[in-house]
Amino acid sequence: MPRSFLVKKHTNSIKKPNYSELESPTVFITPHFYRGLPLPVIPQPEILSPITVWTTSSLPLSPLPSDLSPISGYPSSLSDTSSKDHSGSESPRSDEDDLLKLTGGVGEAEKFQCALCSKSYSTYSGLLKHKQLHCDAQSRKSFCCKYCEKEYVSLGALKMHIRTHTLPCVCKICGKAFSRPWLLQGHIRTHTGEKPFSCPHCNRAFADRSNLRAHLQTHSDVKKYQCKNCSKTFSRMSLLHKHEESGCCTAH
DNA sequence: CTGGGGATGGGGCCC
DNA sequence: CGGGCCCCATCCCCA
């Protein structure tokens, strides 16, 4: 299941920011009780519209080869993409189990104890009211971007996001700015022509691992993205979209 | 028009 | 907590 991509913004008209307007590396950290203060000059992105484009529900059809090593001397391989679990599977644990813990026997003055702070209450309703305080405190723990409407549960995630506004990594060759160092590194390869990721099936090499991965789909008979109507497969989701929009899948 | 390459964006995870 | 990396997504352009 795609993660945050479902809320990715589609603001095509402002895809390329004016980097000269973003020269300030200032980081604005605004826990949401500071919201409402005057905003800087960076325009507000449009409100995200939910998209549901992943129509190929039975993915993946063909796993990538496991020997997709870059040329020797370059960063580690593409292999083992399946071994990594990004599902973030947390055990379905009940808040009630965590927060509510019955303690003591019958007849004790305070027999309902909070599992989080060990505070005891004589009545269940008293404990429930206390528990609500924990829930409120947790829900309040969000960090909001000053440049846009996004909220994050951790300060680190917010700082990472804010880099997409401040673009602190600048290419010394052309001056283009990027949010993260590795993005800049990838960009620098476009200047140097360095292509560390080679295809094991042909002579092609790529500067970007993702592009190699997309290229590998072209070697596969059964490609990753399948039309649920005619079962034709495509190497890219965009191609599947085009196929669907061309009239094959008229159901939607 | 279709398929594919190039470039880039962005959140999550791991160390 | 931050950096690096992973993966996915998307746009542009070209053959």
Side-chain angles (χ1 to χ4, degrees):
Chain A
M1 182 65 185
R3 299 179 294 256
S4 56
F5 312 113
L6 294 177
V7 296
K8 186 175 176 63
K9 53 177 167 280
H10 288 262
T11 52
N12 295 342
S13 58
I14 55 174
K15 186 194 171 205
K16 303 281 185 183
N18 183 351
Y19 298 103
S20 62
E21 293 181 359
L22 300 171
E23 77 281 5
S24 170
T26 309
V27 173
F28 295 91
I29 311 295
T30 55
H32 77 270
F33 39 83
Y34 285 144
R35 294 176 77 175
L37 293 179
L39 295 177
V41 296
I42 296 181
Q44 292 275 351
E46 297 168 15
I47 300 300
L48 316 181
S49 58
I51 57 171
T52 309
V53 293
W54 194 271
T55 58
T56 53
S57 56
S58 59
L59 305 181
L61 292 173
S62 60
L64 293 176
S66 58
D67 57 346
L68 311 179
S69 306
I71 321 174
S72 60
Y74 283 114
S76 58
S77 73
L78 260 178
S79 62
D80 199 24
T81 55
S82 60
S83 68
K84 198 168 182 179
D85 184 10
H86 282 276
S87 63
S89 58
E90 59 260 65
S91 57
R93 209 166 159 206
S94 166
D95 285 341
E96 302 291 320
D97 295 341
D98 285 334
L99 287 171
L100 305 180
K101 186 172 67 179
L102 278 171
T103 61
V106 178
E108 287 189 4
E110 296 181 339
K111 55 186 178 182
F112 298 98
Q113 186 182 39
C114 174
L116 285 181
C117 66
S118 297
K119 204 167 183 178
S120 297
Y121 293 84
S122 57
T123 64
Y124 183 64
S125 62
L127 176 57
L128 280 181
K129 187 180 282 187
H130 165 77
K131 176 199 164 191
Q132 189 59 43
L133 293 178
H134 282 300
C135 294
D136 289 347
Q138 280 199 330
S139 64
R140 233 180 271 124
K141 204 166 129 188
S142 67
F143 299 89
C144 303
C145 176
K146 187 156 189 168
Y147 298 128
C148 65
E149 297 297 320
K150 291 196 174 180
E151 294 186 30
Y152 296 86
V153 294
S154 73
L155 185 58
L158 173 62
K159 285 183 177 180
M160 180 66 70
H161 164 75
I162 283 180
R163 295 175 75 103
T164 67
H165 294 294
T166 59
L167 302 177
C169 307
V170 181
C171 176
K172 291 180 179 178
I173 301 174
C174 69
K176 190 167 184 179
F178 298 86
S179 60
R180 300 184 221 179
W182 61 266
L183 274 174
L184 174 58
Q185 284 183 345
H187 166 75
I188 288 176
R189 290 199 191 109
T190 68
H191 292 301
T192 64
E194 182 187 15
K195 293 182 177 179
F197 304 98
S198 59
C199 176
H201 304 296
C202 64
N203 291 329
R204 293 198 71 102
F206 300 85
D208 182 82
R209 183 182 271 108
S210 292
N211 289 339
L212 169 58
R213 188 178 293 111
H215 164 77
L216 287 170
Q217 284 288 310
T218 68
H219 289 298
S220 176
D221 290 335
V222 180
K223 299 180 174 58
K224 189 177 179 180
Y225 303 98
Q226 183 180 38
C227 174
K228 60 186 178 184
N229 230 27
C230 67
S231 298
K232 187 178 179 183
T233 59
F234 299 87
S235 60
R236 294 176 177 218
M237 188 185 293
S238 59
L239 297 176
L240 172 58
H241 289 163
K242 286 181 182 178
H243 167 76
E244 290 176 340
E245 290 169 0
S246 69
C248 176
C249 301
T250 55
H252 69 288

